[in-house]
Amino acid sequence: MSAAPQRAMILAAGRGIRLAPLTHERPKPLLPLAHLTILHFPLLLARHAGVRDVMMNLHHLGHQIRDQFGDGADLGISIRYSEEQPHLLGTGGGIKRARSFLEGGSFVILNGDTLTDVDLPAVIDFHARSGAIATMVLADPRPENNFGIVRVDDTLQVRDISGRLCWDGQGGRAGHFCGIHVMEPRVFDYMPKEDVFCVNADVYPRMIAAGERVVGCFLARGFRDVGTPARYLETAEAILDGTLHPTYLGNAALRAHSEVAGLPRNVWVARSARVDPSAAIQGPVYAGPGVVVGPRARLGPYALLAEGSRVGEGAQVRHAILWERASLPPGRLLERAILTSRLELPLDTARGAL
């Protein structure tokens, strides 16, 4: 068995179709979540596990990801990029293309659009002790997540993935796949000759059919798939109220970014934000650097104001997200909606003038 992984690949090339029109402006992994983006979470998770070399595949608006993270020096890691143009290669094809980077030893694969609260070093140790060719990180399934279900037997051997293997065995356990794998280089021996394919649909079944040890690891404490605008808002709210609080964030955690004294514990206001004294705030609320909140405005509960956003006089924000430089006009209500500098995306309630 290989030593602890030093390299990881983050899958960040998807189009984010279900998140449109938000993803017309930026790639899904760059959607803001308070002071971070979605992509910060897998990057910081990999760093926490001792990984220092990361490959990211890019496709849709990939230049924005490259511009934001560069070579990774600001995060204390080395980032390289694999451009998939003109076509996406699928999860499997993307990994296959990075073979020369990954195959020196055990490696980690992480989805670039998933937030998981997991002890990745413990997962890596579990993988090493299991003798498996691949380990899939699983979480207890939730009713709202009816896809990505993996079934394991009593030895934790994976027996079915999303119903593809038609296992009719008794016992075992079902879990939701969290988008994290630990793999051995022999995985590449089971990849198709084609360039475009899916690792879950086209590689795992081959390994299992060949009798390889493929295991599920139930070490995820929390899991969020940011697949739709509604789930994006739910994820932001889980970060604000502490429902999702991965320990691997360390100094990047939201609690470390309270810059104004005397506020409730669930209200974070950047030092450079300007909040009028007559504004009312009901946490949880995050107001980032350069935010401007006008007189008699009302924030919260669950208001996320990204850097440079503005809330006009008498406007209200609750259960909503303002992206960077978004501006809510005076007297407007933004509720269960996402406001960017270009558009307003309501989710399931009407909004309008007060």
Side-chain angles (χ1 to χ4, degrees):
M1 188 62 58
S2 302
Q6 298 297 308
R7 294 190 169 187
M9 183 169 187
I10 296 178
L11 304 176
R15 297 187 182 93
I17 294 173
R18 292 183 299 157
L19 273 161
L22 298 176
T23 45
H24 295 166
E25 297 188 31
R26 63 181 66 183
K28 179 178 177 180
L30 290 190
L31 268 58
L33 288 169
H35 58 301
L36 303 174
T37 67
I38 294 172
L39 190 50
H40 276 93
F41 286 79
L43 281 168
L44 293 172
L45 175 58
R47 186 183 72 178
H48 175 71
V51 172
R52 289 298 178 265
D53 290 302
V54 174
M55 177 72 75
M56 281 199 282
N57 63 338
L58 305 178
H59 178 74
H60 175 64
L61 300 177
H63 65 280
Q64 294 187 20
I65 294 175
R66 188 189 290 270
D67 290 346
Q68 173 145 350
F69 290 98
D71 63 4
D74 289 347
L75 293 177
I77 56 178
S78 173
I79 300 177
R80 310 181 205 187
Y81 300 94
S82 174
E83 296 277 357
E84 296 185 9
Q85 299 294 344
H87 305 296
L88 280 168
L89 300 179
T91 55
I95 296 168
K96 179 181 176 181
R97 186 172 183 179
R99 178 172 184 168
S100 62
F101 171 79
L102 295 170
E103 67 179 350
S106 300
F107 56 90
V108 180
I109 304 293
L110 305 108
N111 284 357
D113 57 2
T114 302
L115 282 67
T116 305
D117 185 6
V118 63
D119 184 347
L120 187 54
V123 172
I124 291 169
D125 180 65
F126 173 93
H127 171 79
R129 289 185 288 104
S130 73
I133 189 174
T135 295
M136 306 178 78
V137 176
L138 307 176
D140 290 329
R142 299 185 304 180
E144 65 270 26
N145 289 333
N146 57 3
F147 61 93
I149 297 299
V150 174
R151 295 180 66 195
V152 301
D153 64 20
D154 291 335
T155 71
L156 298 179
Q157 171 75 20
V158 173
R159 294 299 183 184
D160 193 26
I161 301 174
S162 299
R164 294 186 179 97
L165 304 183
C166 301
W167 182 58
D168 58 2
Q170 300 298 313
R173 186 176 176 185
H176 189 104
F177 176 52
C178 298
I180 301 174
H181 326 242
V182 184
M183 293 178 161
E184 296 300 314
R186 287 190 299 109
V187 165
F188 291 105
D189 296 340
Y190 292 93
M191 291 190 175
K193 295 181 180 179
E194 295 79 15
D195 292 330
V196 181
F197 58 93
C198 170
V199 66
N200 285 4
D202 301 315
V203 181
Y204 275 111
R206 291 186 178 199
M207 295 191 295
I208 293 168
E212 292 281 7
R213 178 82 167 139
V214 175
V215 296
C217 175
F218 287 85
L219 285 177
R221 295 180 290 263
F223 164 73
R224 295 278 173 167
D225 168 55
V226 191
T228 65
R231 286 185 176 175
Y232 170 43
L233 177 59
E234 290 168 3
T235 300
E237 293 184 347
I239 291 172
L240 289 178
D241 67 18
T243 304
L244 183 66
H245 53 95
T247 56
Y248 58 79
L249 292 181
N251 290 334
L254 190 57
R255 64 178 178 273
H257 284 257
S258 298
E259 297 181 343
V260 176
L263 296 174
R265 292 188 62 185
N266 62 350
V267 175
W268 299 269
V269 177
R271 188 174 294 109
S272 61
R274 302 201 312 271
V275 180
D276 190 275
S278 65
I281 301 178
Q282 178 185 352
V285 167
Y286 171 81
V291 164
V292 177
V293 179
R296 295 177 298 283
R298 301 180 68 88
L299 304 182
Y302 294 102
L304 192 158
L305 282 59
E307 182 174 357
S309 57
R310 304 175 70 92
V311 177
E313 180 177 356
Q316 296 188 28
V317 181
R318 53 179 180 254
H319 295 280
I321 300 172
L322 276 73
W323 280 15
E324 300 91 343
R325 296 173 296 282
S327 182
L328 183 65
R332 289 289 305 279
L333 167 64
L334 188 74
E335 182 175 16
R336 287 202 55 78
I338 300 160
L339 182 67
T340 80
S341 61
R342 298 181 182 179
L343 62 89
E344 180 179 338
L345 180 64
L347 300 183
D348 60 5
T349 59
R351 80 283 180 217
L354 295 177

